[in-house]
Each structure stands twice: as C-alpha cells, then as structure tokens.
Amino acid sequence: MINKINIRSKDAVNSANIELLQDTITRFQRIFNGTGYGFWEWDLSSQHIDWSGGFWERMGYTEEDDKDISDATKVWSYMHEDDRALTLDAARHHFRTDEPFEITYRIRTKKGEYVWTHVRANSIRDENGRVVFMSGINFDVTALKEAEEALRESEARQERIIQSTNDGIWEWYARGGFHFSSRCWELIGYDAKDDEITVGEDKLQVWRKHIHPQDLPKFDIALAEHLAGRSPFDLEYRLIGKNKDIHWVRARGRASFGSDGKPIRMSGSNMDMTRIKRAEERVMLAKEAAEKANQAKSEFLSSMSHELRTPLNAILGYTQLFEYDLNLSQQQLTNVREIRKAGDHLLQLINDVLDLAKIESGKMTVSLEPVLVARIIAEAFTLVHPQSNAKQISLSAAMNDCEKLYVTADNVRLKQALINLLSNAVKYNNPGGEVEVHLQLIANNKLRITVRDNGKGIPANRQAEVFQPFNRLNAEFSNIEGSGVGLVITKQLVEMMNGQLDFHSTESVGTEFWIDLPLASEWNEVPHSTMKSADFQLTNLAFQENKKILYIEDNPTNIRLLEQFFAQHHNIVLDIAEEPFLGIYKARVTPPDLIILDINLPGMDGFEVLEVLKNDPTTKNIPVIGLSANAMPYDVERGIKCGFDEYLTKPVDINHLIKTLNKFLCT
C-alpha cells in the first residue's frame, strides 16, 4: 500500500529548501510506516482518503484493496454494520460543532474477522467554515476491549477460581517480605513442615536456590523487564526439587506501581507444567522415531523400486527388441506384446506401491497433461477383463462421440482411478451382470466419465460412509476381497487433478460413480508418457552418419540388452566399459559421440563419473545420458540438476532411447 503525505501550501517553496523538504517527507514516511497505526487524511471534495502507517496491512489487506480503502464512499463497508450509524452520527456532530472527532468501532480484517479500532481526528475548514479536509489516526484497541471484557467476566469468579486452583500463589511487597502459598513448595516436593521453608525469613532467596542454574538468568531478566514496565511477566522455567528431580513451572505475575512509577507489589501464580513438559518430550521422541521410521520406509521403497526395476529392464527391454525383429510371425509378435503388457502392468504395480506411500505422507504429486480418455478406457478394460470374465460380467463403453476428446489429467492417476471404479463395479456386481463406461460432455467445459453397474447397490443409510477409510459397508463379512481404502485414494487422486468424484446408488438396482474432469485446451500431440505397449509404434534412428557410443555399465544383462539393440544399427559402434575408471579412460583416449552412464557403479557412482567428465576439457562437451533403475522423482530431479543431458529410467523404453539418440546425435 503506497503511503503518501500531501504537502499543501499557499507559499511557494524555494529551490534551496526542496531537498530539506524531501528529507522531512521521507523521515515522516518512515515514522508513520513503522507504527502500524492508521494515519489518514480525507479530502471531502474528492472523497479520497490518503492512508499511512501500515494499519490496513496489519489486517491483511494489500495494494489490490487500495482502491476501495481510499474511497470514502466505500470504506464504510469495512465497518461493522452495528457501528456504522453511531460513527456517522459522530462525524456529523463533528462537522456541525468542530468538536474533536473520537470514537471506537469494529472494522473487518481481510479474513473476515473484526477488530476494535479507536479513532481520533480533527478538521480543516475553509473561509465559510465548511470542512474541506479531515485528518486523524486509527489504532487497534482490540486487546484493550478483550481485556475489559475478560476483567468483567473474571471479577465474578476470581475468588472461586483461586480457591479451587491447584496452582501456587505468591506475592512480593516493596516494603519487605515475600509470601509463597504452601502449594508453591508442594510443587517441588516439600511438605509444609519442612525446615527449609519454615525456618528463616527470606523465602525468595530459598526459592532462587531451587531455580535451575541455566534458567536463573532468564528469570531475573524477565522479572526486571516487567518491573521496568516493558513486558508482562510470563515465564516457564525449571526448578530443582527436594529430591533433586526437575520440575517445570509456568510463573505469571503482575506488578502494581505507585504514582512515582515504582513497583509497590507484585502478585502471581506458579502452574505445574512438569507433566506437560514430559509429555512434550515423549511427543518429540515419538516424532523423531516416526521420522526415522518414515526415512527407513522411504529407503526401503527406493531400494525395492531399484531392485525390481533391474530385472524388469531385461524383461521389457528384450520384448521391445522383438518389436524390431521382422522375422516374427504376427502370432509371435502378438504374444510378445502380451508379455510386454504384463511387464508394464507389473511396473505399474511397483509405481502404485510408491504412490500409496506418497499419499500416506502427503507428498503425492500429479503431472497434468492432455490425456485421451478413450485410450485410458481401453487400457483399463484390458486389465479388468480377467476379473470380469471370471464372474461373466460384460464390459462395454458408450463413447457418445467423445472418443477423440482429451482431458487435463495425470495419465497414470486417471487410469488408476478408473481401474479402481471398474474393479469395484465388477466385485460388487451379480454374476452375469453388466458394467458400462459412459462419456458425456457437461457444463463448464468438462467431460463426465461414468462407471455404471447393475449390481447390489448401496443402502441409503450407508451412502454417507462411502468415502470413509477402511469402511467396507459390511462387505468385510462377505467373501469379497478389499481393504476399504480404494475409493478414498481414488477421490484424493481425482481432486488432485482438479476433478470431482461423486456417485448415485439405488439398492438392488445398481450404482453409478462418475468423474468430472476439465477438457484439455490443446490435444494435438499425445505426450510420450501416455504411450504404452497397447499402442506401441516403432521409432527409427533419424541419422545415417557413423556414431560411437560409450556405455558405462556393470550389469551384464543390461549390457547384453543394449548390445543386441545396437547390433541392429550398423552405423552405431557401441563400446562397453564395465567399471567407471575404465569408462573415464576410454572417454578421454577415444572420445565418443555420446555416453550412456549407469548410476550404481562400483568404486564411483554415476554422479562422480559425470563430475569428472564435465570438468575435463576433452570430454566436457560430450552428451551424457543417465540410465538407471533409481527412478524415484527426486532421483530424476537430482540427475538433471547434476548435469545429465537426459535422465532415462529402467526399464528402458527403446522408443524413448531412440528419440534421445536422435535428439543429441542428429547433425
């Protein structure tokens, strides 16, 4: 909010005083802006109000709100409606009588709450006595109002509370003496008859001896600050008890001051905080243990992902090689593609395990892109068919001229959500039943994907429980398998994609679940991530020149896979280095056109090898492609940040690899 100070003067300001005047303006702006008060001037001719001091910023308003706040005809709307009439009457009275304007009213914050503000103002009038400018100050008195209300409420019950409280009460007198209630001493293990608290006169010194040495300085500082009138006395500190055990207390007090400003007495209480502090310590220990367990789980999932992706690299890699074998019959090619689809599904299961962990930790992310809904339905049907066939349930899709429409979604998450709805429609259907997916354009440029079944339906009195986690609506007493979290996860996934999930069900008739998603604004090009084995298309090298590629990898299976792939391309020479030092040596002696580098290598990892290559003038300009089973999102992000020109994950997608080679080797 831009603060202004309007300088109006009938006398001309000579040039020698301009710099001094500007310094004065700047100094006043600094003073006003640092107070948090609302300094204002109202020009009645233009109905414009200039504000300074940060009053509105403290209530959450920004420069976007300046227009209304600076308009005298609109600023009244920020005032509590019960206070407007009284405030307007006070303003009119000021205009008529020229008496100072002073009133307290409530004003609305950006969050919609109300605070109390006190206003003091006066006016400048023209030669006819009419007000032309009105200037004043607003300051927040909410705390004062709340304190007044609290005081009124507390006066009626103060004595009752003191009698029933378990806190220790103490009072200090300037003329001499310090009184502790017996409860103060009981908090640290003493009995009322113990000599230490009954013998002697200076109980304050006895008490100070029990304050923990590390907390005594802050106790003295807090007390001195309060007695100087600079801060309230509200302090948590430790005491060493009679049995040398540690006790926590929260001491709160208030001093009374004489007309000379010096304290004459101070009264307060000690609250036993020991149990709370020990509970906090247990919570912190539990939090640390949970964080360690979560870290261990993350490390386990990362390791599991790596270990499972490594053999899948061979399974999916070799099946992709068959796609390039022109000697296979159509039946053999179909069989190979079925193997690849099963491998893709297994890979998706691995990813799903990682996704569940992300949902639990609140770290699930989605990658929104144009997604062809018809393809998602086809892939979901392929995976649900075995389940539906077992119950002789038919699957069908009514596209309604929507087969070419794309929605903005995450390809994997949308398929996961649809598979879950289809699986539920099959599981809770009757043998021989029907399940239909229905597409429909709806308002607000959205596409509705409906999964309809003619199964048992959901009782009306249980429908409010559908999205409750682990609630299977009594299905746990049947032979239908499930965990009761599928719909919860599905709803979260859909909402993360800016969609809505809802349902309608009639008992003994059937159930409809639908997903509403926004249509994609552009869908001319299908992103690579949506290309799966069901629509595999061969990609060819786009260059004819002879190229040399160095592959640094220690896994024999992975080496054989790329050797067989590159053997089909006579213009590419593949050189293998099975350990990192040999790879660095070969890259320096006979620099290749491109390097494919694994991450998990003996002696040095791929990141260390990359650093050596990028710092060597001989090899720093050679494109380096990371290829690793470390496929967690942070692995990919780290790879790109560390300088890999591309980071591919295993199982390797041959099409993606060829596109990457074309990207870096086409001249």
Side-chain angles (χ1 to χ4, degrees), residues 583-611:
I584 294 172
Y585 172 78
K586 287 187 174 185
R588 286 172 170 170
V589 174
T590 55
D593 296 292
L594 182 140
I595 298 172
I596 300 176
L597 177 59
D598 187 28
I599 300 299
N600 295 301
L601 294 168
M604 298 175 66
D605 65 26
F607 295 105
E608 294 171 320
V609 175
L610 177 67
E611 184 177 4

Side-chain angles (χ1 to χ4, degrees), residues 387-522:
Q387 183 184 0
S388 63
N389 291 340
K391 294 184 66 174
Q392 298 181 335
I393 293 175
S394 65
L395 297 178
S396 62
M399 296 299 183
N400 299 320
D401 298 325
C402 298
E403 51 270 271
K404 295 183 179 180
L405 294 184
Y406 287 70
V407 294
T408 300
D410 184 298
N411 180 77
V412 174
R413 309 304 173 209
L414 179 55
K415 182 168 70 172
Q416 182 179 348
L418 184 58
I419 288 174
N420 190 46
L421 295 181
L422 286 170
S423 178
N424 281 352
V426 171
K427 278 196 303 184
Y428 298 102
N429 210 330
N430 300 308
E434 299 176 355
V435 174
E436 180 189 50
V437 177
H438 180 271
L439 298 185
Q440 177 189 2
L441 282 172
I442 61 174
N444 299 321
N445 205 31
K446 291 185 177 182
L447 181 68
R448 173 165 292 180
I449 308 168
T450 302
V451 177
R452 179 187 301 120
D453 68 67
N454 61 345
K456 302 175 183 179
I458 304 170
N461 63 339
R462 303 300 300 272
Q463 292 184 10
E465 307 170 31
V466 165
F467 295 113
Q468 292 179 359
F470 305 106
N471 189 336
R472 299 191 60 210
L473 309 181
N474 291 333
E476 62 269 26
F477 301 113
S478 68
N479 59 357
I480 301 175
E481 296 181 352
S483 62
V485 299
L487 283 175
V488 178
I489 294 175
T490 300
K491 192 172 191 298
Q492 291 176 344
L493 292 176
V494 170
E495 290 175 352
M496 290 174 68
M497 295 184 290
N498 301 318
Q500 293 85 38
L501 174 66
D502 210 338
F503 74 99
H504 171 77
S505 184
T506 303
E507 193 170 5
S508 301
V509 175
T511 302
E512 292 183 2
F513 276 89
W514 60 83
I515 299 172
D516 294 342
L517 289 168
L519 288 171
S521 57
E522 298 179 2

Side-chain angles (χ1 to χ4, degrees), residues 172-220:
W172 164 83
Y173 305 96
R175 62 180 182 273
F178 205 105
H179 170 72
F180 287 94
S181 70
S182 59
R183 181 58 187 159
C184 287
W185 301 105
E186 291 171 2
L187 293 178
I188 57 176
Y190 283 98
D191 185 89
K193 298 179 180 179
D194 284 334
D195 290 342
E196 187 169 354
I197 63 173
T198 57
V199 178
E201 297 181 357
D202 195 344
K203 299 298 184 296
L204 177 58
Q205 293 305 317
V206 176
W207 185 263
R208 288 175 58 82
K209 290 178 182 179
H210 287 277
I211 298 177
H212 195 286
Q214 294 178 357
D215 294 347
L216 187 57
K218 71 177 183 180
F219 175 88
D220 290 337

Side-chain angles (χ1 to χ4, degrees), residues 531-651:
M531 300 295 290
K532 299 298 179 183
S533 58
D535 50 14
F536 183 85
Q537 297 178 359
L538 298 181
T539 302
N540 297 312
L541 292 177
F543 55 90
Q544 300 296 326
E545 302 87 354
N546 291 333
K547 300 293 182 180
K548 179 181 178 181
I549 296 177
L550 174 62
Y551 184 27
I552 305 176
E553 169 68 82
D554 66 323
N555 187 300
T557 302
N558 296 335
I559 292 173
R560 286 195 298 271
L561 172 62
L562 288 198
E563 283 179 334
Q564 291 190 30
F565 166 69
F566 285 114
Q568 302 177 24
H569 304 280
H570 302 294
N571 60 328
I572 294 181
V573 176
L574 181 65
D575 191 10
I576 303 296
E578 297 190 25
E579 58 92 14
F581 296 102
L582 179 60
I584 294 172
Y585 172 78
K586 287 187 174 185
R588 286 172 170 170
V589 174
T590 55
D593 296 292
L594 182 140
I595 298 172
I596 300 176
L597 177 59
D598 187 28
I599 300 299
N600 295 301
L601 294 168
M604 298 175 66
D605 65 26
F607 295 105
E608 294 171 320
V609 175
L610 177 67
E611 184 177 4
V612 173
L613 294 174
K614 291 300 183 182
N615 289 326
D616 191 322
T618 305
T619 59
K620 67 179 182 179
N621 295 321
I622 300 174
V624 182
I625 309 303
L627 178 59
S628 175
N630 295 342
M632 301 289 278
Y634 54 78
D635 293 319
V636 179
E637 183 180 358
R638 180 190 176 193
I640 298 301
K641 285 184 177 180
C642 287
F644 280 104
D645 295 280
E646 190 74 68
Y647 190 96
L648 307 182
T649 60
K650 299 175 183 177

Side-chain angles (χ1 to χ4, degrees), residues 332-350:
Q332 290 172 325
L333 191 59
T334 300
N335 294 342
V336 167
R337 288 180 176 174
E338 288 299 322
I339 295 173
R340 188 178 178 208
K341 283 195 290 185
D344 282 339
H345 182 50
L346 180 57
L347 178 61
Q348 189 57 54
L349 291 177
I350 296 171

Side-chain angles (χ1 to χ4, degrees), residues 300-342:
F300 167 75
L301 290 173
S302 178
S303 175
M304 182 190 71
S305 172
H306 179 275
E307 296 303 322
L308 292 178
R309 286 174 185 273
T310 299
L312 272 177
N313 185 54
I315 296 172
L316 294 178
Y318 283 110
T319 56
Q320 290 176 78
L321 289 181
F322 283 117
E323 301 278 356
Y324 292 86
D325 192 340
L326 302 179
N327 296 319
L328 292 181
S329 67
Q330 186 59 44
Q331 181 61 45
Q332 290 172 325
L333 191 59
T334 300
N335 294 342
V336 167
R337 288 180 176 174
E338 288 299 322
I339 295 173
R340 188 178 178 208
K341 283 195 290 185

